[in-house]
Amino acid sequence: MPSMLEERNHVLETLFGNVKHCIVVVDRDGRISYMNESYGRFLEVDPKEIAGRHVTEVIENTRMHIVVDTGEEEMADLQKIRGDYMIAHRIPLQEDGEVIGALGMVLFRDTDEWKIMNTHIKDLLLELETYRSQMQHVNGAKYSLHDIITTSPEVLQVKEKIRKTAYSDVSVLVRGESGTGKELFAHSIHHLSERSQQPFIKVNCAAIPEHLIEAELFGYQEGAFTGAKKGGKPGKFQLAHGGTLFLDEIGDMPLHAQVKILRALQEGEIEAVGAEKPQAIDVRIIAATNRPLEALIKEDKFREDLFYRINVVQINIPPLRRRRGDIKVLTKFLLKKLSDRTGKRVETLAPDVEALFNKHDWPGNVRELENVIESAIHMTDDGEIRYRDLPDYLSSSGNGQRAGQTLKDVVEEAEKAAILRAIEEADGDKCTAADRLGIGKSSLYDKVKKYDL
């Protein structure tokens, strides 16, 4: 008697075996349960041999595992595979109201048609990049949601929240630790807003000397004070008129400046230093901080009324240690980006370095990861980053290999520590822990059993 798995695969083979489109089916853990011959030929893999492997290990830029997590279908999505663009459909599969897997289909009927389509897409993307560069030059915003590299369900939810709220003029407060990329999210909000063709002006509230804040924010008239520039100078609010003003590190702004910003937001007007009358201003505010504003309010260091003004929509960026699945994809992206910048071709990490990256808490988050990789690229002598290439603080911080340990010991120790930390941060919820680690639930249970956790 054939097993249920054999029967199911027989049904799938009957349905899709002779279809020219590429078909793949994954289970609830994101592991490949079926791939038709067309897809196997295109990827140059044997569909039978890759059965059971996680889809991210086999298909480049796949989102099949994400569709399983979200339960939301993705139709006619662009996917780049082996340097070329395809049109992909991804559909969640449900049983008794529960998502049990997903079916993916990559569309192209014949090689000639696919080549024409791919050339057209590349041409459109080059044209789009040209317009994007022109817009960056005009409005000052460099980044879009496309630049935020992630597989984390939490960050994907943040990106979706931005898509839903960016079009309006509501104030946004972006919160997160130093190095999480708060500025990228601020740029993305501006790019998706109705103000995208207007200026994006950044103010680092922590970097302006206290006695210059008013002039920097609201500008000054000629002769307003000794040394004032002839003709005066517009402030950040005037420069951002019609567009977006990004108040970075707003938790470090002195109280007297907070009062003036609050008045500008309430009245819709500002008064330059030395001016005789106020000037109407139209700006959207995006603020960012890594400080606990609620605690600062209790200490009378931040105005509660300003907090409510800027905190209409709150965006919380999780730290890298809470989305460890992103370490791998960010490392791959940063290796390519920094290799291109330095001119050195470095493509991989040694296994012990990869284990260390997965174990390290990254208090500086994505910025720290980028700095470590850039430093190591300069130090390495070949195409792989080795333990000796890492900055001293990282390789000697207690995360490294102890005397007498084999590579297997190092990897297992790092894996065990990462699993324990993920389970602890998820308050014992193993499904959430598996998501944070970027692995399937069954894989997590196997490892919990292996390490007797």
Side-chain angles (χ1 to χ4, degrees), residues 150-289:
T150 186
T151 60
S152 161
E154 288 181 80
V155 181
L156 290 170
Q157 287 174 11
V158 169
K159 292 173 77 169
E160 186 58 31
K161 188 175 184 179
I162 287 173
R163 289 188 184 97
K164 290 178 179 178
T165 58
Y167 71 92
S168 68
D169 271 347
V170 296
S171 298
V172 179
L173 178 61
V174 184
R175 307 186 75 164
E177 294 180 5
S178 178
T180 49
K182 296 185 289 296
E183 185 172 344
L184 269 72
F185 288 89
H187 283 238
S188 301
I189 293 167
H190 178 75
H191 262 302
L192 291 175
S193 75
E194 295 296 317
R195 298 171 179 260
S196 60
Q197 297 185 47
Q198 300 302 319
F200 177 89
I201 302 297
K202 175 186 174 181
V203 180
N204 188 333
C205 301
I208 306 173
E210 193 166 336
H211 65 284
L212 293 178
I213 282 181
E214 191 172 351
E216 280 292 317
L217 291 176
F218 309 120
Y220 57 81
Q221 298 290 307
E222 181 177 340
F225 49 83
T226 303
K229 197 177 190 180
K230 187 176 180 181
K233 180 182 176 184
K236 301 297 186 182
F237 270 86
Q238 289 99 323
L239 293 173
H241 181 63
T244 302
L245 183 64
F246 176 41
L247 299 173
D248 197 12
E249 307 295 354
I250 195 169
D252 295 301
M253 178 170 282
L255 278 169
H256 78 273
Q258 293 178 32
V259 174
K260 294 181 180 296
I261 286 181
L262 179 62
R263 187 178 301 134
L265 299 181
Q266 288 175 334
E267 305 298 331
E269 60 183 29
I270 53 106
E271 195 168 321
V273 178
E276 296 180 357
K277 59 182 180 179
Q279 172 186 355
I281 206 76
D282 171 27
V283 297
R284 183 196 191 165
I285 295 294
I286 301 176
T289 186

